[in-house]
Amino acid sequence: MSVLVTGGCGYIGAHVVHALHQAGQEVVVIDDLSYGKATRIEGARLYGADVAAPGADERMAQIIRENNVDSVIHFAARKQVGESVEKPLWYYQQNLGAMLNVLKAMSVTDAKKLVFSSSASTYGEPPVSVVPEDVVPMVPINPYGQTKLFGEWMARACEEPFGIKFCGLRYFNVAGCGPVELEDPAVLNLIPMIFDRLKQGKAPAIFGADYPTEDGTCIRDYIHISDLADAHIAALKYLDRDERKYDVFNVGTGKGTSVRQIVDEVKKVTGLPFTEAIKPRRAGDPAKLIGSPERINTEMGWHAQYDVEDIVESAWKAWQANPDHHIDTEGWQQTD
């Protein structure tokens, strides 16, 4: 049997493909390569396709049958919060359309285990500082988070009529790198965005320094990408159980780190004496979002192994290993 990974050439997907190979699994990948690279999946069979496109469900069903797939890990989605606020209809079409196609393909094949890449954005601005999975109300404050919450509902609705066993992993802020060749290829997340500005000799941006937090910047729960990849392996094993108490799990550390603390850690790790620039808040960003990992710790035996220092150090090592990104720290100067 094999595992189908949608979006497997992207940052998170490629790390999970790597973890699956290490666990001895056969892997098949579907990716439109809009954010990923075909070289990142270690010889897994790659099918180029947009899973949100009309007719993609029939193509996926064919791929599932041809490759004896019994499990699907679904990543393929648009994931920028600000962009989702600007283009809500496109986000609904892309993310909900992709989920619909995945479920349609699974409903007519023998692939009956689904691990869904959900998000902490489903919580919106929760009424507690450390968020459990069953917090109420759950009101996402941006279209991206809405698509992830509704994706969970869609998968859950398909369990009884189609026999699909579903596990949703609500990630918090994923960062860092495992093998250096799996560096985040898109400059969309905080740490690579900082590095990219430093590469240009420019001031990294902090979006909002007037939040109701201790230092005025957003607080998030940062999870190392290698820990997250291990959580997917644990989730697949969890779906093999006959009895499963829960179908959604936070993947985080339970600890909050502010944007300014991340910036300070980058200064420490890189040794670059840069000054950051304060910019206006971005639409759709909650002030504080930290996840309780108690459920996944207890039910799956999964625990985060890495901290923020490990995250920044691994991300910097991968950035410096890339000739297109490498920064000459000896001659570096800030120009703005």
Side-chain angles (χ1 to χ4, degrees), residues 116-297:
F116 174 50
S117 168
S118 191
S119 170
S121 292
T122 56
Y123 294 119
E125 296 184 303
V128 292
S129 57
V130 180
V131 190
E133 290 85 351
D134 55 1
V135 67
V136 288
M138 284 187 68
V139 185
I141 62 173
N142 54 67
Y144 167 70
Q146 293 164 5
T147 66
K148 289 298 186 178
L149 182 57
F150 197 70
E152 293 179 6
W153 295 350
M154 292 168 70
R156 190 173 293 122
C158 290
E159 288 186 303
E160 185 172 341
F162 304 119
I164 294 172
K165 298 190 288 185
F166 152 69
C167 179
L169 298 182
R170 294 174 180 163
Y171 315 157
F172 284 72
N173 279 51
V174 186
C177 192
V180 294
E181 63 271 17
L182 300 186
E183 177 199 16
D184 192 347
V187 183
L188 299 175
N189 298 318
L190 175 61
I191 294 173
M193 287 173 67
I194 294 174
F195 292 164
D196 184 59
R197 295 289 290 178
L198 297 177
K199 172 68 175 175
Q200 301 173 57
K202 297 179 179 180
I206 291 179
F207 293 98
D210 58 348
Y211 285 95
T213 60
E214 189 170 323
D215 63 21
T217 67
C218 288
I219 292 176
R220 296 289 184 269
D221 187 341
Y222 289 88
I223 178 73
H224 195 291
I225 184 69
S226 296
D227 281 332
L228 178 63
D230 288 342
H232 286 80
I233 306 302
L236 283 177
K237 293 178 181 178
Y238 179 75
L239 288 177
D240 284 331
R241 298 183 192 176
D242 292 330
E243 297 292 330
R244 298 176 307 282
K245 190 174 181 180
Y246 305 105
D247 62 9
V248 291
F249 296 85
N250 288 336
V251 185
T253 66
K255 300 175 183 177
T257 305
S258 74
V259 172
R260 192 174 294 280
Q261 287 174 314
I262 291 290
V263 169
D264 288 344
E265 189 63 36
V266 171
K267 289 179 180 178
K268 173 186 170 184
V269 168
T270 66
L272 299 178
F274 63 86
T275 301
E276 58 276 10
I278 305 300
K279 302 288 185 180
R281 296 184 184 187
R282 295 182 302 186
D285 273 347
K288 189 174 185 179
L289 202 54
I290 304 169
S292 168
E294 182 177 348
R295 179 181 289 183
I296 194 170
N297 293 164

Side-chain angles (χ1 to χ4, degrees), residues 2 15 42 59 68 83-84 86 152 173 193 197 235 260 269 273 277 282 296-297 301 311-312 321:
S2 58
H15 278 86
E42 304 177 15
R59 179 65 174 137
N68 203 26
E83 184 180 54
S84 79
E86 295 169 1
E152 293 179 6
N173 279 51
M193 287 173 67
R197 295 289 290 178
R260 192 174 294 280
V269 168
R282 295 182 302 186
I296 194 170
N297 293 164
I311 286 171
V312 176

Side-chain angles (χ1 to χ4, degrees), residues 103-116:
L103 291 168
K104 287 172 71 176
M106 295 181 69
S107 72
V108 297
T109 63
D110 292 332
K112 298 303 182 185
K113 292 185 289 184
L114 173 63
V115 179
F116 174 50

